[in-house]
Amino acid sequence: MKAHDGIYLDGAWRPAAGQDVIEVVDPADERVIATVPAGTAEDIDAAVRAARAALPGWAATAPAERAARLAALRDALAARKDEIAETVTAELGSPLPFSQAVHAGLPLAVAGSYAELAAAHPFEEKVGNSTVFHEPIGVVGAITPWNYPLHQIVAKVAPALAAGCTVVLKPAEDTPLTAQLFAEAVHEAGVPAGVFNLVTGLGPVAGQALAEHPGVDLVSFTGSTAVGRSIAATAGAAIKKVALELGGKSANVILPSADLARAVNVGVANVMSNSGQTCSAWTRMLVHRDQYEEAVQLAAASAAKYGDRIGPLVNAKQRQRVRGYIEQGVAEGARVVAGGPESPHERGYFVSPTVLADVTPDMTVAQEEIFGPVLSILRYEDEDDALRIANGTVYGLAGAVWAGDEAEAVAFARRMDTGQVDINGGRFNPLAPFGGYKQSGVGRELGAHGLSEYLQTKSLQF
């Protein structure tokens, strides 16, 4: 697997300050497929300095020109679409068709949307006797996760560049090769030197150095709530803005009037997508007590169809973590109706598609994010009980509601404490704001709301 042996700094690939490397492992067969530099605090400092030096020129660049660079970036990514999909499959383990459609396809739509927004966004407006300017916040430290490696990079870097910010990216250590492909595309798109910089490295070293660096004006982080809390504390001490997209434990609420079979089948598919490694996955299925056993049977049959259709988890630690949750669920009284903790293969970090029935709201598997192909099915007594259960976690990222009447579903969704709700299987919209309530994060990504995160406001009175 092709890999650069340096970091992308100030428009060129340069040697890292240290000699340590990170091994990239194919989670399907546990082979080391490449190594990349383990960047240091010194590398982060050099990248931030490059971004600071490039900031005045890029911030002063006309929005139309920033839009043109983003359009060129989108085209450069499109030219690498097959290589991107193959790389994600190699370092994340995602089945190739899913990598092609989602991991390589979705970022193209997001990058294209920001090329359009950069050209059309009202960076200046009149409010009474004031002129209000929306200006770039400055240097952005972007720290991205491994589960959607390119999408999460584009969802942070594209709006930052559209806003006129400069960026230092620290990608997840499990999936750095996709980030290197992105850096190649940035270079090909003609983005000026220093506007985008890439430092591969470990979270406690490079990630922490980036979050703490006094030259960074905003930290945009996607990952666990625990790490997000630490970043927020660090940023708070410096009065530095953060954008945090964190964990989820989303509820899929099936009201009695819904098409039960469709709601269950789509719900299972949602949880199994990307091997369950999706922060917004509907991992809690809520079903009325009168339909509960039928829903359990439908879910078990649906999960059994996935078998080898889902890929492995990203690494051995994640596999053990997911197995531990399944075992804990059983110990607390859950019933395994599909899958279980046993690995279906001798090699690779696989976990079987698993469905747990008889889950109650107080169980660990109903409260904590598992981040694997594990669905918990809970019963409710009436609509108020369903709402209590749906809102009864520290998270509030996403969710779904199903009902025979759309207005009934909307009325329930409006009472859910969550940032995004799909009604009767509504499609994902890359222009809609994405982000959560409560401990699922701060701020929004995607579309115009995502662009606004990277802007600050100045008013002049006349």
Side-chain angles (χ1 to χ4, degrees):
M1 181 65 61
K2 176 186 175 183
H4 290 277
D5 58 3
I7 60 176
Y8 186 74
L9 174 64
D10 204 17
W13 293 97
R14 307 178 190 275
Q19 299 299 315
D20 291 343
V21 298
I22 297 170
E23 293 184 338
V24 184
V25 176
D26 183 336
D29 60 18
E30 305 180 41
R31 291 183 303 113
V32 175
I33 56 175
T35 60
V36 299
T40 65
E42 183 179 345
D43 295 313
I44 290 292
D45 182 64
V48 173
R49 289 178 184 277
R52 283 236 80 86
L55 180 60
W58 185 245
T61 300
E65 174 58 22
R66 298 201 297 261
R69 292 308 100 215
L70 285 166
L73 173 59
R74 189 265 176 210
D75 293 343
L77 290 171
R80 290 168 169 78
K81 186 175 180 181
D82 290 343
E83 185 179 6
I84 289 168
E86 292 166 1
T87 300
V88 173
T89 293
E91 62 182 354
L92 178 62
S94 171
L96 187 58
F98 190 81
S99 293
Q100 292 168 331
V102 177
H103 288 295
L106 178 59
L108 298 181
V110 175
S113 74
Y114 280 114
E116 296 177 2
L117 280 167
H121 191 79
F123 291 99
E124 179 180 335
E125 60 181 325
K126 291 287 187 180
V127 180
N129 67 308
S130 301
T131 301
V132 179
F133 297 91
H134 301 283
E135 301 177 338
I137 198 166
V139 174
V140 173
I143 304 174
T144 55
W146 45 261
N147 60 326
Y148 288 90
L150 184 59
H151 169 64
Q152 293 289 353
I153 289 171
V154 172
K156 296 182 188 304
V157 176
L161 298 187
C165 298
T166 56
V167 180
V168 177
L169 169 66
K170 204 298 286 185
E173 48 263 38
D174 290 292
T175 54
L177 304 181
T178 303
Q180 290 189 343
L181 288 177
F182 178 80
E184 291 178 0
V186 168
H187 190 85
E188 184 179 312
V191 175
V195 170
F196 170 81
N197 306 272
L198 167 68
V199 179
T200 53
L202 300 175
V205 180
Q208 184 171 341
L210 184 57
E212 294 177 348
H213 200 289
V216 171
D217 301 293
L218 180 151
V219 179
S220 180
F221 169 79
T222 297
S224 72
T225 297
V227 176
R229 187 178 293 112
S230 174
I231 288 174
T234 297
I239 318 298
K240 181 185 302 184
K241 184 177 179 181
V242 294
L244 305 173
E245 198 270 281
L246 308 175
K249 195 67 185 175
S250 301
N252 179 18
V253 182
I254 304 174
L255 297 177
S257 62
D259 180 337
L260 182 65
R262 179 167 179 260
V264 169
N265 287 330
V266 174
V268 171
N270 176 278
V271 172
M272 301 307 161
S273 178
N274 208 39
S275 303
Q277 299 170 130
T278 302
C279 53
S280 57
W282 311 332
T283 52
R284 295 181 297 146
M285 181 179 289
L286 278 57
V287 185
H288 189 272
R289 62 180 181 181
D290 293 341
Q291 299 173 313
Y292 186 80
E293 288 303 330
E294 182 182 359
V296 168
Q297 293 174 17
L298 287 167
S302 181
K305 296 176 183 177
Y306 283 86
D308 291 333
R309 288 167 55 188
I310 67 171
L313 300 180
V314 69
N315 56 40
K317 180 180 178 181
Q318 186 66 14
R319 177 185 59 184
Q320 187 57 38
R321 180 176 184 270
V322 173
R323 284 176 171 174
Y325 272 114
I326 297 171
E327 292 167 350
Q328 187 167 5
V330 172
E332 293 179 5
R335 171 169 49 110
V336 176
V337 296
E342 298 78 13
S343 177
H345 302 288
E346 290 185 5
R347 289 185 64 81
Y349 308 129
F350 292 89
V351 171
S352 296
T354 297
V355 177
L356 300 177
D358 300 338
V359 175
T360 58
D362 60 325
M363 288 183 182
T364 303
V365 293
Q367 290 292 321
E368 297 184 10
E369 186 176 44
I370 298 173
F371 226 61
V374 181
L375 170 65
S376 297
I377 309 182
L378 298 87
R379 57 170 56 83
Y380 65 85
E381 297 293 319
D382 54 29
E383 201 166 293
D384 287 340
D385 190 38
L387 184 68
R388 178 186 64 80
I389 296 170
N391 289 339
T393 75
V394 298
Y395 299 111
L397 184 55
V401 182
W402 301 79
D405 178 61
E406 184 176 286
E408 180 187 7
V410 170
F412 189 95
R414 290 294 303 273
R415 295 197 290 161
M416 293 174 70
D417 298 334
T418 192
Q420 190 172 78
V421 185
D422 295 348
I423 303 298
N424 288 337
R427 293 184 297 111
F428 180 75
N429 179 4
L431 296 178
F434 181 82
Y437 288 19
K438 300 188 285 187
Q439 292 187 28
S440 284
V442 176
R444 293 295 181 267
E445 292 188 328
L446 303 179
H449 292 80
L451 175 58
S452 295
E453 293 290 337
Y454 298 92
L455 295 169
Q456 55 189 349
T457 305
K458 177 186 292 177
S459 62
L460 304 184
Q461 284 61 248
F462 296 88

